Amino acid sequence: MLIRAGFDIDFECEIDTPMMAMLSVHPSRNRDLQTPHRLILNPEIPIYDYLDHFGNVCTRLTIPAGGASLSCDFTIADSGAVDRRPPDVGQMPVSELPDDVLVYLLGSRYCETDRLQDTAWSHFGHVSGGRARVEAIVDFVHHHIAFGYQHARPDKTAWNAYQERVGVCRDFAHLAIAMCRCMNIPARYCTGYLGDIGIPPIDAPMDFSAWFDVYLDGEWYQYDARHNRPRIGRILMARGRDATDTALTTAFGRADLVRFEVHTDEIEG
Amino acid sequence: MLIRAGFDIDFECEIDTPMMAMLSVHPSRNRDLQTPHRLILNPEIPIYDYLDHFGNVCTRLTIPAGGASLSCDFTIADSGAVDRRPPDVGQMPVSELPDDVLVYLLGSRYCETDRLQDTAWSHFGHVSGGRARVEAIVDFVHHHIAFGYQHARPDKTAWNAYQERVGVCRDFAHLAIAMCRCMNIPARYCTGYLGDIGIPPIDAPMDFSAWFDVYLDGEWYQYDARHNRPRIGRILMARGRDATDTALTTAFGRADLVRFEVHTDEIEG
Amino acid sequence: MLIRAGFDIDFECEIDTPMMAMLSVHPSRNRDLQTPHRLILNPEIPIYDYLDHFGNVCTRLTIPAGGASLSCDFTIADSGAVDRRPPDVGQMPVSELPDDVLVYLLGSRYCETDRLQDTAWSHFGHVSGGRARVEAIVDFVHHHIAFGYQHARPDKTAWNAYQERVGVCRDFAHLAIAMCRCMNIPARYCTGYLGDIGIPPIDAPMDFSAWFDVYLDGEWYQYDARHNRPRIGRILMARGRDATDTALTTAFGRADLVRFEVHTDEIEG
Amino acid sequence: MLIRAGFDIDFECEIDTPMMAMLSVHPSRNRDLQTPHRLILNPEIPIYDYLDHFGNVCTRLTIPAGGASLSCDFTIADSGAVDRRPPDVGQMPVSELPDDVLVYLLGSRYCETDRLQDTAWSHFGHVSGGRARVEAIVDFVHHHIAFGYQHARPDKTAWNAYQERVGVCRDFAHLAIAMCRCMNIPARYCTGYLGDIGIPPIDAPMDFSAWFDVYLDGEWYQYDARHNRPRIGRILMARGRDATDTALTTAFGRADLVRFEVHTDEIEG
């Protein structure tokens, strides 16, 4: 399957404003690109990329006083398959987890494992098997939180979402991640493109999406507590401990987002 | 100056309990070691080290049912100088910061920059110069929080410490770090040995200590909001975004700490 | 299967001599260790470890004037299986190789791909399939070179070995690696313990061994042009582009090796 | 000073040919870019970048049957200063070198330290001081080798250049690097743009240039055995152990270079 994706984003600001952006496709998808992935800036200001320690592409730039627009449009190959599911086997003991996944058992800004520990164990302690536990968590979170854009706020954490019971896709992901970690299942936050491929068309403006990875049986698997069903055509942009590490743009100073359009569509090959 | 340091720690647990420990000297001090730094375990269980992505030595082990003791004793060379202070120059603009320090401007589990942003700017927005700002923050935190071991709790954040006004060295560090980050000054959490060298002897059991690094004028400098004065003989063990990344031991299951002794003394060369 | 392995090595030198040693088990085997892996030094001089960019443990030390002995003895779990063989599928095109294996297609100190290119293509250009090509190369090298310790010399390259037709296990590995790379099959040099497990006992002093990895069908597989048969119980110590990157000890100055004993034996569990 | 630089390169090939290119500016110069650095391809084929373990930007692409052209044109800020020289202090003992520079003491494909060891010590063993030794080596190499494009060949090593006494800038660099390493001075190979800035105009087509870094007194310093004088306006593209690691393009298959133009000029700010 071929997917054409991209975005058009405009910022306005009064003074030169440094920014860190994670608006590229994740390097793990580089070999699927059918056209170069290039960030186009207007005006044409200097930019450059570096890799953070999660392996994400970070772009550094300074939005000039007045503002700037950033856009991107590319074609990428995709398997067209829905999210894979892990085998139905027991959960890996912590002692067998690889060294580099241990960090995804720890708490993080929006995933307060210390505060959710008892809740998680009381809900999911009796569920046996890694996959069964993860799916119980995803189900629980999917039904515990009511979706609504009006409930989004930048400092909302998993603990807040658990108590307030309302949120957006990022809050679904944070709560599910926190609970997986409490149960000693490594989990990490993902952000990227997710179009309406293989599902009925949705009458809402396209946005980037948030989901999460869990480490089960020696591999990472994708889950999505917002949609609670396997999906087709996720195009990963960034992953990390939580939304802190994967913010699409982080402005060091004030920059107003005045236009934000995302597109992700299946195209003919 | 030569410093002899080490610890004796005993854990008790009912079942085999996997653990991640950061009980080694940080690799940046490896070349100062005058004797091998070896973790001694009783019983002699298998252990091994890996490096996390902050460059800290992490030791993996499983405390066997019944418990185990961990100890260490080593001699290390130290300059004997007090903490260096940065030159009195302007704060580096974000656009000039190196790529790999940007992560230390972001929020983290115990440093909620999003919640402290307005407070930090109202207190320190008028202070000019990087060093002056950091020292204003350190002064503020030092006087804002009253020290007391009874105020320690594992889920306490910078925001909590700011509101409750009581805490331990870790809370002083978290609040100062969060405020530095709000002001666009990269700051990271440090933990290690800090003996009573160059100060009057203190009548309290020796413990590990927490301080923090700020990035000013192209280098990292050590500050300590708990003590609010330059000190001699810090021996770094681990550093990271906050206490989450540098916990001396993280047990995945229940392990009770039944003995905890730390020593750090200047010795004759 | 449990294997007990280790070594006793003595150096003599006239003045303090800095050294870099790769005498540890490779981190990929850390979780198999049944006892701590500790380097014991006599006299007890300061040492410390770091990881090189191939992921090997490097130990830094300075052999004091007069000399020092280094020893090690540990128990490790092993699958007991012989070297796995790849499926009989076509060779991966270069365009599908992961980024981080491309370096193992380039020439290196002891593997002059530029000089062996035509020879390799004339011998192996007609062989189709990745595994078949690798096995044709291993067979060729195994029969082309006659083994003999008297033919070892430190500056001997794959090209030299090809022309002189005599060598030791390191030369077999270098020539096979160089030819694999010429054929666009990534190959890397390995060094470690290899005992006489599953084969008739050999009447020769035990030594460390050299073999190599090839990247086929998305994974690394072990091959051994010296022995030309799958073996049991390889315990990897270091791997890299060739013997330059994996030397067990590199002295920066003169240090004479006056004792060298290695042991690797299957033991009762 | 502002420098405008770039290139136009055309390849022809009969079949699709995978390629690895190092045609970007090195990330250490990213913040000096005044315009985006973009590789333009005609036809517009998919490409992507990754970082190798030396920190260089590597671009992966497949030149389609028939051929393709690659071009680039950018403006970069430069200090305008000539190559800095290290202080006149003693050479650092190997035991004080940082861990990550030790690899630059080892031999590599084109720098056979094992074969040049005795020669280096007989020429430079009596010279005291790190800078003095490096400058003696650079002088020696500059006068030992006669420059001439007709003497270039891809498999020429430092040892070959020492014996044949003719070569191009790459051979000057390799011989000087090998000799520095023999003397326990870490040295690495550099490639990049070097225009005729601050020197009389040269009547020859512009090319990329090769020079080298030595590690003295805790920092890397640039030297150039081909020109044997400090220069202005080096724009680093890639560095590594030798030319193997920094080849501007490595084709896996046959690709003929049919056009090759490089420009590097000071421009008005």
Side-chain angles (χ1 to χ4, degrees):
Chain A
M1 177 188 294
L2 291 183
I3 298 175
R4 180 173 172 177
F7 58 81
D8 292 272
I9 294 177
D10 291 0
F11 283 102
E12 282 181 6
C13 53
E14 290 187 15
I15 55 169
D16 287 5
T17 304
M19 184 174 279
M20 186 173 91
M22 293 192 182
L23 290 167
S24 298
V25 162
H26 190 268
S28 58
R29 296 300 298 265
N30 273 338
R31 283 194 285 158
D32 296 323
L33 287 168
Q34 304 298 300
T35 59
H37 181 290
R38 287 208 183 93
L39 205 53
I40 304 301
L41 293 108
N42 184 3
E44 188 164 88
I45 48 178
I47 60 165
Y48 72 84
D49 295 338
Y50 72 96
L51 290 182
D52 69 12
H53 59 234
F54 300 103
N56 303 311
V57 177
C58 300
T59 303
R60 292 190 71 170
L61 70 163
T62 295
I63 304 290
S69 58
L70 292 69
S71 64
C72 188
D73 182 38
F74 62 95
T75 301
I76 194 165
D78 192 86
S79 70
V82 297
D83 298 327
R84 272 187 327 133
R85 287 294 169 243
D88 236 326
V89 293
Q91 182 178 328
M92 290 178 78
V94 171
S95 58
E96 292 181 15
L97 294 172
D99 301 335
D100 57 357
V101 312
L102 288 188
V103 69
Y104 299 106
L105 289 179
L106 305 180
S108 59
R109 173 65 189 100
Y110 299 114
C111 302
E112 310 101 319
T113 47
D114 40 16
R115 307 190 76 174
L116 286 159
Q117 193 77 15
D118 293 343
T119 307
W121 278 90
S122 71
H123 276 94
F124 311 111
H126 66 283
V127 183
S128 64
R131 174 177 171 178
R133 261 191 183 155
V134 169
E135 298 188 353
I137 289 170
V138 169
D139 261 346
F140 170 84
V141 171
H142 181 71
H143 292 107
H144 185 78
I145 302 181
F147 183 87
Y149 280 115
Q150 72 277 26
H151 305 303
R153 66 170 201 269
D155 66 351
K156 192 172 197 168
T157 67
W159 174 251
N160 298 150
Y162 175 70
Q163 295 198 305
E164 302 173 15
R165 304 197 57 175
V166 289
V168 291
C169 63
R170 149 191 154 121
D171 305 306
F172 285 83
H174 282 149
L175 183 54
I177 289 168
M179 291 201 160
C180 287
R181 292 181 187 167
C182 287
M183 304 310 294
N184 288 333
I185 297 171
R188 63 188 182 193
Y189 187 92
C190 300
T191 192
Y193 297 90
L194 177 61
D196 306 335
I197 300 173
I199 60 164
I202 289 175
D203 184 24
M206 180 72 205
D207 191 1
F208 293 113
S209 187
W211 62 88
F212 70 107
D213 285 345
V214 290
Y215 193 83
L216 286 172
D217 195 43
E219 284 180 67
W220 290 101
Y221 291 89
Q222 282 67 57
Y223 276 91
D224 183 334
R226 161 76 180 93
H227 298 107
N228 199 21
R229 54 184 284 188
R231 289 285 294 270
I232 295 168
R234 300 185 192 278
I235 306 172
L236 183 69
M237 298 171 80
R239 57 191 173 207
R241 288 162 72 166
D242 63 27
T244 303
D245 298 329
T246 60
L248 294 165
T249 58
T250 302
F252 299 98
R254 178 163 178 182
D256 295 322
L257 184 64
V258 294
R259 180 188 183 205
F260 179 78
E261 294 172 13
V262 179
H263 61 275
T264 321
D265 300 292
E266 188 180 355
I267 58 169
E268 297 295 313
Chain B
M1 176 190 294
L2 291 183
I3 297 175
R4 181 172 170 178
F7 58 82
D8 292 89
I9 293 177
D10 293 358
F11 283 103
E12 281 180 7
C13 53
E14 289 186 18
I15 55 168
D16 287 6
T17 304
M19 184 174 279
M20 187 174 90
M22 293 193 182
L23 290 166
S24 297
V25 162
H26 190 268
S28 58
R29 296 301 298 267
N30 272 338
R31 282 195 284 159
D32 296 324
L33 287 169
Q34 304 298 300
T35 60
H37 181 289
R38 287 208 182 94
L39 204 54
I40 303 301
L41 292 109
N42 186 3
E44 187 163 88
I45 48 178
I47 59 167
Y48 71 84
D49 295 339
Y50 71 96
L51 291 182
D52 69 14
H53 59 233
F54 300 103
N56 302 310
V57 178
C58 301
T59 303
R60 291 189 72 170
L61 70 163
T62 295
I63 304 290
S69 58
L70 290 71
S71 64
C72 188
D73 182 39
F74 62 94
T75 301
I76 195 166
D78 192 87
S79 71
V82 297
D83 298 327
R84 272 186 329 132
R85 288 295 169 244
D88 237 327
V89 293
Q91 182 179 327
M92 291 178 77
V94 171
S95 58
E96 292 181 15
L97 293 172
D99 303 332
D100 57 356
V101 313
L102 288 188
V103 68
Y104 299 106
L105 289 179
L106 305 180
S108 58
R109 172 66 189 98
Y110 299 114
C111 302
E112 309 101 319
T113 47
D114 39 16
R115 307 191 75 174
L116 286 159
Q117 194 77 15
D118 293 343
T119 308
W121 279 90
S122 72
H123 275 95
F124 311 111
H126 67 283
V127 183
S128 65
R131 174 177 171 176
R133 261 191 184 156
V134 169
E135 297 187 353
I137 289 170
V138 169
D139 261 347
F140 171 83
V141 171
H142 181 72
H143 292 106
H144 186 78
I145 301 181
F147 183 87
Y149 280 114
Q150 71 277 26
H151 306 304
R153 67 169 200 271
D155 67 351
K156 193 172 197 169
T157 67
W159 174 252
N160 298 148
Y162 175 70
Q163 295 198 305
E164 302 173 15
R165 304 198 58 173
V166 289
V168 291
C169 62
R170 148 191 155 120
D171 305 307
F172 285 83
H174 283 150
L175 182 54
I177 288 168
M179 291 199 158
C180 287
R181 292 180 188 168
C182 288
M183 305 309 296
N184 288 334
I185 298 171
R188 64 187 180 191
Y189 187 91
C190 299
T191 191
Y193 297 91
L194 177 60
D196 306 335
I197 300 172
I199 61 163
I202 288 176
D203 184 24
M206 180 71 205
D207 191 1
F208 292 112
S209 188
W211 62 88
F212 70 108
D213 284 345
V214 291
Y215 193 83
L216 287 172
D217 195 42
E219 283 180 67
W220 289 102
Y221 292 89
Q222 283 66 57
Y223 276 92
D224 185 335
R226 160 77 179 94
H227 298 109
N228 200 19
R229 54 184 286 189
R231 290 287 293 271
I232 296 168
R234 299 186 195 277
I235 305 172
L236 183 69
M237 297 171 80
R239 58 190 174 208
R241 289 162 73 166
D242 63 28
T244 302
D245 298 327
T246 61
L248 295 164
T249 58
T250 301
F252 299 99
R254 180 166 178 180
D256 295 322
L257 184 65
V258 294
R259 181 188 183 205
F260 180 76
E261 293 174 16
V262 179
H263 62 274
T264 322
D265 301 290
E266 186 180 355
I267 58 169
E268 298 295 314
Chain C
M1 176 189 294
L2 291 183
I3 298 174
R4 180 172 172 176
F7 57 81
D8 292 90
I9 295 177
D10 293 358
F11 283 103
E12 281 181 5
C13 53
E14 289 186 16
I15 56 168
D16 287 5
T17 304
M19 184 174 280
M20 188 173 90
M22 293 194 183
L23 290 167
S24 297
V25 162
H26 190 267
S28 58
R29 295 301 297 265
N30 272 337
R31 283 195 284 160
D32 296 323
L33 287 169
Q34 304 298 300
T35 60
H37 181 289
R38 288 208 182 93
L39 204 54
I40 304 302
L41 292 109
N42 186 2
E44 188 163 89
I45 48 177
I47 60 166
Y48 72 84
D49 294 339
Y50 71 96
L51 291 182
D52 68 14
H53 59 233
F54 299 103
N56 303 310
V57 178
C58 301
T59 303
R60 291 190 71 171
L61 70 162
T62 296
I63 304 290
S69 57
L70 291 71
S71 64
C72 189
D73 183 39
F74 62 94
T75 301
I76 194 165
D78 193 87
S79 70
V82 297
D83 299 327
R84 272 187 328 132
R85 287 294 168 246
D88 237 326
V89 294
Q91 183 178 327
M92 292 177 75
V94 171
S95 58
E96 292 181 15
L97 294 173
D99 302 333
D100 58 356
V101 313
L102 288 188
V103 67
Y104 299 106
L105 288 179
L106 306 180
S108 60
R109 172 65 188 99
Y110 299 114
C111 302
E112 308 102 319
T113 47
D114 41 15
R115 307 190 77 173
L116 286 158
Q117 194 78 14
D118 294 342
T119 307
W121 278 91
S122 70
H123 276 94
F124 310 111
H126 67 283
V127 183
S128 66
R131 174 176 170 179
R133 261 191 184 156
V134 169
E135 298 188 353
I137 289 170
V138 168
D139 261 346
F140 171 83
V141 171
H142 181 72
H143 291 106
H144 186 78
I145 302 180
F147 183 86
Y149 279 114
Q150 72 277 25
H151 306 303
R153 66 171 202 269
D155 67 351
K156 191 172 197 169
T157 67
W159 173 251
N160 298 149
Y162 175 71
Q163 295 198 304
E164 302 172 15
R165 305 197 57 175
V166 288
V168 291
C169 63
R170 150 190 154 120
D171 304 307
F172 285 83
H174 282 149
L175 182 54
I177 289 168
M179 291 199 160
C180 287
R181 293 181 187 167
C182 288
M183 304 311 294
N184 288 333
I185 298 171
R188 64 187 181 192
Y189 187 92
C190 299
T191 191
Y193 296 91
L194 177 60
D196 305 335
I197 300 173
I199 60 163
I202 289 174
D203 185 25
M206 179 71 205
D207 191 0
F208 292 112
S209 187
W211 62 89
F212 70 108
D213 284 345
V214 290
Y215 193 83
L216 287 173
D217 195 41
E219 285 180 67
W220 290 103
Y221 291 88
Q222 283 67 58
Y223 276 91
D224 184 334
R226 160 77 179 93
H227 298 108
N228 199 19
R229 55 185 283 188
R231 288 287 293 270
I232 295 169
R234 300 185 193 277
I235 306 171
L236 183 68
M237 298 171 80
R239 57 190 174 208
R241 288 162 72 166
D242 62 28
T244 303
D245 297 327
T246 60
L248 295 165
T249 58
T250 302
F252 299 98
R254 178 166 179 180
D256 295 322
L257 183 65
V258 293
R259 181 188 181 205
F260 179 77
E261 292 173 16
V262 180
H263 61 275
T264 321
D265 300 291
E266 187 180 355
I267 58 169
E268 298 295 314
Chain D
M1 176 189 294
L2 291 183
I3 297 174
R4 179 172 172 177
F7 57 82
D8 292 89
I9 294 178
D10 293 358
F11 283 103
E12 282 181 5
C13 52
E14 290 187 16
I15 55 168
D16 286 7
T17 304
M19 184 175 279
M20 187 174 90
M22 294 194 182
L23 290 167
S24 297
V25 162
H26 190 267
S28 58
R29 295 301 297 267
N30 272 338
R31 283 194 285 158
D32 296 324
L33 287 169
Q34 304 298 300
T35 60
H37 181 290
R38 287 209 182 93
L39 203 55
I40 304 301
L41 292 108
N42 187 1
E44 188 163 89
I45 48 177
I47 60 165
Y48 72 84
D49 295 339
Y50 70 96
L51 291 182
D52 69 13
H53 58 235
F54 300 103
N56 302 311
V57 178
C58 302
T59 303
R60 290 189 74 171
L61 70 161
T62 295
I63 305 290
S69 58
L70 292 69
S71 65
C72 188
D73 182 38
F74 62 95
T75 302
I76 194 165
D78 193 88
S79 70
V82 297
D83 298 327
R84 273 187 327 132
R85 287 293 169 244
D88 237 325
V89 293
Q91 183 179 327
M92 291 178 76
V94 171
S95 58
E96 292 181 14
L97 294 172
D99 302 334
D100 57 356
V101 312
L102 288 189
V103 68
Y104 299 106
L105 289 179
L106 305 181
S108 59
R109 172 66 189 99
Y110 299 114
C111 301
E112 310 101 317
T113 47
D114 40 16
R115 307 190 76 172
L116 286 159
Q117 193 77 14
D118 293 342
T119 308
W121 278 91
S122 71
H123 276 94
F124 311 111
H126 66 282
V127 183
S128 65
R131 174 177 171 178
R133 260 191 184 157
V134 169
E135 297 187 352
I137 289 170
V138 168
D139 261 347
F140 171 84
V141 171
H142 181 72
H143 292 107
H144 185 78
I145 301 181
F147 183 87
Y149 280 113
Q150 71 278 25
H151 306 304
R153 68 171 199 270
D155 67 351
K156 193 173 197 170
T157 67
W159 173 252
N160 298 148
Y162 176 71
Q163 294 198 305
E164 301 173 15
R165 304 197 58 174
V166 289
V168 292
C169 62
R170 147 192 157 120
D171 305 306
F172 286 83
H174 282 149
L175 182 55
I177 288 168
M179 290 198 159
C180 288
R181 292 181 187 168
C182 288
M183 305 311 293
N184 289 333
I185 298 171
R188 64 186 181 193
Y189 187 92
C190 299
T191 190
Y193 297 90
L194 177 61
D196 305 335
I197 301 172
I199 60 164
I202 289 175
D203 184 24
M206 179 70 205
D207 190 2
F208 293 112
S209 187
W211 61 88
F212 70 108
D213 284 345
V214 291
Y215 194 83
L216 286 172
D217 196 42
E219 284 180 68
W220 290 103
Y221 291 88
Q222 282 66 58
Y223 276 91
D224 184 334
R226 159 77 179 93
H227 298 108
N228 200 19
R229 53 183 286 188
R231 289 285 293 271
I232 295 169
R234 299 185 194 277
I235 305 172
L236 183 67
M237 298 171 79
R239 59 191 174 207
R241 289 163 73 167
D242 63 27
T244 303
D245 298 327
T246 60
L248 295 165
T249 58
T250 302
F252 298 99
R254 178 166 178 178
D256 295 322
L257 184 64
V258 293
R259 181 189 182 204
F260 179 77
E261 293 173 15
V262 180
H263 61 274
T264 321
D265 300 290
E266 188 179 354
I267 58 169
E268 297 296 312

